[in-house]
Amino acid sequence: MSKVTQDHLNVNGTKFTIDDSWLGESLLYTLREQLGLYGSKNACEQGECGSCSILLDKALVCACLVLTGSAIGRDIKTIESLAPEGSLSVIQQAFVDAGAIQCGFCTPGLLVTIEDFLDDNAEPTELEIREAISGNLCRCTGYGRIVEAVRIASKASTDTQGTADDGN
Amino acid sequence: MIMEVLIASSAEEICELLGQDNSRQLLAGGTDFMVEVNYRHRSPSSVIAIDRVPELRNWHHDGDSVVIGSCVTYREIERGPLATLVPALAQAARTVGSPQIRNAGTIGGNIGTASPAGDMIPVLSALGAEVSLRSSEGKREISLDDLIVGVKQTSLGQGEFIESVRVPVLESPQEFLKVGSRSAMVISVTSLALITYPKTQSVGIGLGAVNPRPTRARQAEEFIKDFLNWESMQVDPSGLDHFKELVSEASRPIDDHRSIAAYRRHSIGVLAQRALTRIFSERSPSV
Ligand code: FES
Ligand code: FES
C-alpha cells in the first residue's frame, strides 16, 4: 500500500512536484490551477462535455473525473503534448482546413479524443467517428465539419503511411 | 476536504485499510464519486483508490460462468472475449456514457452505486448474478437482487467491499434495450434485459430504471413460457399483449426530471416485446 503524500505528477513526460493539498482535487483542477496547463478545458466537471479529455495510462478519460491523488505515478498526456510548440499535428491542421473550429472551447478535448481514436482505427466509417466523439459536446459547429476534419486527418495519415511503406 | 489518498495494491490491503477505519471511501472509476467531489456534495477525509488492484481488474472463466473483477471497466466488457461470453452485458456497457466514461467506469462501481438506472443492473439481475463480497472478517456471496436493497442502498456490511461478480455463460441469445433522449451520454429512462435459458426453456427479464431495486418480471417470464417454441425459435403472437402488460405491471416507476411514470410503465412493456421478438420470430404455431 502506498499513502500518497507529497509526490509528482508525470504529465507529458515531465515530472511536476505537487503539494499534498492538491491530492483531493480533480486532476483537471490541478492541471489548470497548479500546473498552469490551461489546454484542458473545464465546462461541466461531471463527465458530460469531454472538453477536459486526456490520456491516463493511454486510456482516454475525463480529467475532471480523476482524483489527483490516484493519478500519481501514472502517465498523463494532455492536449499540450499533441504537437511541438509552434507547429500543428495532422489532426490540428485538418481542423483548420475543414473549418471545424468556431469558438474553440471544445477543440482541445476533441483533438485528444480523435488522436486516440485514429491511433486505434486509422480508417473509420462515419458511424465510428460519430460514436468516438459522442462524449465531446460542441455547441457551435453542428459536428459536420468535425467529422469532415477526422476524415481529412485519417486520409492524410494513411497517405503518409502509404508513402513511407512504398519507400521501404 | 479529502485529506488522505491511499492507493491499494491488493484486495488484502483494502481489507486492512477498511479494517482500520471503515469510514474510508473506496474509489474505483470515479465517474459518479468525482462529480460529488467536484460539486462539494461529498468530501470524505480518506479515500482508498482500488482501481490498480490486479485481482479486481481481471476476469476469468470458471466452469460454466465468468467471474468479473469489480474494477473491470465498461470498455473491457463492451468488446473482446467478454462481449462474446456475456453479450447482453456488452450491449449494456456500450450504452453507458461516452468512450471517456467507459474507459473509467467499472462494473463494481455500477453495482455499489446502486442507482436504479445503473445499466449493468437489469442484465445482472436477469442473469441471476452472484456478487462476491470481502472484508477482514472473510468472504461471502450474495445475489445481486439481495445486495441492492433500495435506491442507492446496498446491504454491504461495515468494512465490506465488492470483489467480483459471477454470471453464467449461456451461449444462447440475449438482448439489452434502453430508452433515452439520445444514443450517447444518456441515463436510462427505462432499460430491459432479456436472457434465454434453453435448458429450462425459460427467459429471464430484468427491468431497469423502473423500480427502486433490481426487479425481474417473474409473472411475465412464467406466462410467456407456453407461447415459445424453442426448436423453431418462434413466439405465438397471441401471447404478446398480455406479456407486455405483465412486464409493465412489474414496474413501479416514478415521475422525475428524465421522464414520467406513465411513459416508463408503457415503454418497459414495449422494450420487453421488442427484445422477445428480436429473439423469437412471430408466427402462430398452426402456420
Ligand atoms: S469538464 Fe470534464 S467532462 Fe466536462
Ligand atoms: S467550436 Fe464552440 S463548442 Fe465547439
Side-chain angles (χ1 to χ4, degrees):
Chain A
M1 176 244 315
S2 47
K3 175 175 166 170
V4 179
T5 51
Q6 188 181 17
D7 217 321
H8 54 260
L9 279 176
N10 187 359
V11 187
N12 304 330
T14 304
K15 287 185 174 169
F16 293 90
T17 303
I18 52 156
D19 188 79
D20 62 3
S21 60
W22 291 83
L23 298 175
E25 299 291 347
S26 79
L27 181 59
L28 177 62
Y29 192 65
T30 305
L31 288 172
R32 292 176 56 86
E33 307 305 329
Q34 173 74 352
L35 306 186
L37 294 169
Y38 297 112
S40 309
K41 302 295 177 217
N42 178 359
C44 74
E45 289 196 295
Q46 51 178 314
E48 292 280 338
C49 73
S51 61
C52 64
S53 298
I54 58 152
L55 296 175
L56 181 65
D57 284 343
K58 298 202 166 72
L60 180 77
V61 296
C62 298
C64 68
L65 299 182
V66 176
L67 187 69
T68 302
S70 76
I72 295 291
R74 291 188 164 171
D75 182 41
I76 300 160
K77 285 227 156 31
T78 67
I79 179 69
E80 284 85 358
S81 72
L82 231 62
E85 188 79 47
S87 64
L88 296 179
S89 74
V90 173
I91 297 159
Q92 285 171 319
Q93 187 61 52
F95 263 61
V96 175
D97 294 344
I101 307 166
Q102 289 187 27
C103 80
F105 201 83
C106 66
T107 312
L110 272 159
L111 291 169
V112 173
T113 301
I114 293 162
E115 180 92 37
D116 174 61
F117 170 61
L118 288 179
D119 255 7
D120 241 31
N121 186 347
E123 291 172 76
T125 63
E126 168 151 2
L127 206 68
E128 288 168 335
I129 296 171
R130 291 197 179 262
E131 186 174 4
I133 63 171
S134 62
N136 295 80
L137 289 187
C138 173
R139 296 289 81 162
C140 305
T141 66
Y143 303 101
R145 292 181 176 208
I146 293 171
V147 173
E148 184 54 27
V150 182
R151 274 208 212 92
I152 295 173
S154 148
K155 190 159 184 315
S157 320
T158 44
D159 284 356
T160 338
Q161 195 67 39
T163 323
D165 288 351
D166 294 347
N168 281 336
Chain B
M1 213 184 127
I2 297 174
M3 303 298 291
E4 171 183 69
V5 181
L6 301 151
I7 297 178
S9 55
S10 70
E12 193 58 46
E13 263 178 19
I14 304 173
C15 293
E16 273 170 42
L17 292 169
L18 287 175
Q20 292 160 9
D21 175 0
N22 62 31
S23 72
R24 286 177 165 146
Q25 171 67 42
L26 295 186
L27 169 66
T31 53
D32 286 313
F33 174 69
M34 285 304 295
V35 176
E36 298 188 350
V37 170
N38 290 340
Y39 284 78
R40 302 289 190 251
H41 292 159
R42 198 138 63 121
S43 95
S45 63
S46 176
V47 172
I48 310 172
I50 63 169
D51 62 334
R52 295 188 212 187
V53 174
E55 306 98 289
L56 305 186
R57 290 204 59 107
N58 290 327
W59 62 270
H60 66 272
H61 226 128
D62 182 23
D64 292 340
S65 50
V66 275
V67 178
I68 305 172
S70 58
C71 289
V72 170
T73 62
Y74 299 117
R75 166 80 170 204
E76 293 163 293
I77 294 169
E78 110 187 68
R79 56 182 71 187
L82 269 180
T84 318
L85 295 168
V86 208
L89 206 59
Q91 280 178 295
R94 195 172 169 194
T95 71
V96 175
S98 61
Q100 287 89 327
I101 300 294
R102 300 199 287 275
N103 275 332
T106 66
I107 187 167
N110 205 236
I111 298 170
T113 299
S115 160
D119 287 315
M120 300 287 99
I121 311 297
V123 188
L124 293 174
S125 180
L127 284 167
E130 289 283 321
V131 186
S132 257
L133 307 179
R134 187 162 168 182
S135 72
S136 51
E137 308 286 295
K139 294 190 184 196
R140 67 179 170 121
E141 293 227 323
I142 183 169
S143 73
L144 175 93
D145 296 1
D146 289 335
L147 177 63
I148 297 177
V149 294
V151 176
K152 301 200 172 173
Q153 281 176 339
T154 67
S155 59
L156 275 173
Q158 298 281 338
E160 211 170 30
F161 65 94
I162 300 168
E163 193 169 43
S164 62
V165 54
R166 176 189 292 270
V167 292
V169 175
L170 296 162
E171 291 170 358
S172 59
Q174 315 183 339
E175 271 292 343
F176 171 84
L177 297 169
K178 166 168 164 176
V179 173
S181 47
R182 60 188 282 241
S183 301
M185 288 309 303
V186 78
I187 294 175
S188 290
V189 165
T190 47
S191 68
L192 177 137
L194 193 147
I195 309 291
T196 56
Y197 293 94
K199 265 192 199 149
T200 52
Q201 304 215 327
S202 60
V203 296
I205 300 167
L207 310 184
V210 289
N211 292 79
R213 51 187 296 189
T215 303
R216 292 273 292 265
R218 300 270 181 196
Q219 284 186 340
E221 291 175 7
E222 204 48 49
F223 168 78
I224 201 66
K225 270 186 178 174
D226 294 340
F227 296 83
L228 300 177
N229 183 327
W230 290 83
E231 250 153 52
S232 61
M233 292 306 277
Q234 287 175 334
V235 55
D236 174 352
S238 67
L240 289 175
D241 281 347
H242 191 54
F243 169 70
K244 215 160 79 176
E245 274 168 33
L246 288 173
V247 172
S248 290
E249 279 169 23
S251 69
R252 298 277 173 278
I254 56 163
D255 290 328
D256 67 9
H257 59 292
R258 273 192 287 278
S259 188
I260 56 169
Y263 177 71
R264 287 189 160 110
R265 195 173 299 112
H266 173 74
S267 61
I268 197 78
V270 173
L271 290 188
Q273 174 170 357
R274 195 172 294 165
L276 191 76
T277 54
R278 278 192 183 178
I279 297 174
F280 296 91
S281 53
E282 284 179 65
R283 169 121 32 114
S284 50
S286 54
V287 180

